Amino acid sequence: MERSLKLLESPARLGGQVVHGFGRGSSQLGFPTANLEIRWDATGEERTKLDPLARDVLDFAEKTPCGIYAAWGRVCDGPDQGVYKVAMSVGWNPHFEGEDAVKNKTIEAWILHDYDDTFYGAHMRLVVLGHVRDEAKFNSLEQLIDEIGKDGKFCESELSQYREYIEDPFFSSS
Ligand code: RBF
Ligand code: MG
């Protein structure tokens, strides 16, 4: 699997609540992920009334090609509000089909940091810098886990060149 960081035209700044995903992250795959709330329910007139952050997330989810991305992220509640490196996926999780299939595109962040607490319901912020690889369907769960682990290592290393985003005003504004 080839990986290269292709920077977005400009970084995407996303903020919203951490919601429950499929619960596969920690239990089945061995790493915790945070799903960002996407207001798919808001259509037509409702959409124009969303707060700007929620609208940006919805726009991003609709327009951004599925794939794995490198980002910086912060969980903005609780005792640990540091800005950490993130490997994130945008997409349909094609590895899981049939009964396990997701009905809508998801934005799922694997924050490369050990938290002491769970962060469901917390406000999360992401500054997405670039595309890493396309989403794929693998031959086995082991292979998916292995590739996600490599995404983590890749993002960890690439993001070291972009440390200035730790100070991005988006992480400290409300
Ligand atoms: N799901 C896929 O079906 N194919 C992938 O290539 C894939 N890559 C991922 C890479 C990262 C860094 C992360 C955080 C998730 C990825 N996923 C992928 C989503 C994965 O299937 C999902 O996190 C679990 O199903 C838990 O919801
Ligand atoms: Mg999860």
Side-chain angles (χ1 to χ4, degrees):
M1 175 74 43
E2 286 252 3
R3 289 177 181 78
S4 70
L5 185 65
K6 293 185 203 77
L7 294 178
L8 302 183
E9 232 165 82
S10 60
R13 292 178 173 79
L14 306 177
Q17 206 180 313
V18 179
V19 295
H20 283 273
F22 268 71
R24 278 190 295 247
S26 300
S27 52
Q28 222 182 318
L29 304 179
F31 55 86
T33 61
N35 289 66
L36 192 61
E37 181 179 36
I38 308 174
R39 293 293 308 277
W40 295 112
D41 59 295
T43 52
E45 180 72 1
E46 278 173 347
R47 190 179 171 126
T48 62
K49 290 180 189 142
L50 288 177
D51 76 74
L53 273 185
R55 213 177 315 151
D56 287 350
V57 171
L58 193 49
D59 283 346
F60 178 88
E62 283 174 350
K63 289 178 192 153
T64 304
C66 291
I68 312 312
Y69 291 80
W72 287 95
R74 174 181 181 226
V75 175
C76 306
D77 302 287
D80 190 342
Q81 301 197 14
V83 176
Y84 301 112
K85 294 167 179 172
V86 171
M88 63 178 262
S89 96
V90 177
W92 300 93
N93 303 1
H95 190 79
F96 300 89
E97 289 176 332
E99 261 178 55
D100 282 346
V102 290
K103 308 281 181 289
N104 278 312
K105 231 166 151 185
T106 58
I107 298 175
E108 192 172 357
W110 175 26
I111 305 176
L112 303 168
H113 173 77
D114 283 324
Y115 288 92
D116 291 332
D117 294 298
T118 58
F119 33 66
Y120 288 112
H123 184 79
M124 175 169 69
R125 293 216 162 179
L126 298 168
V127 175
V128 188
L129 298 192
H131 177 274
V132 169
R133 68 165 171 91
D134 292 336
E135 207 179 20
K137 187 167 166 21
F138 298 104
N139 294 324
S140 65
L141 189 64
E142 288 65 37
Q143 203 185 345
L144 174 69
I145 293 169
D146 185 58
E147 294 294 342
I148 293 176
K150 287 176 181 161
D151 294 329
K153 288 212 176 78
F154 181 85
C155 291
E156 173 82 49
S157 141
E158 292 290 318
L159 286 162
S160 293
Q161 300 170 52
Y162 300 95
R163 292 199 164 276
E164 65 272 23
Y165 287 97
I166 294 172
E167 312 295 336
D168 195 284
F170 183 64
F171 284 126
S172 45
S173 68
S174 54

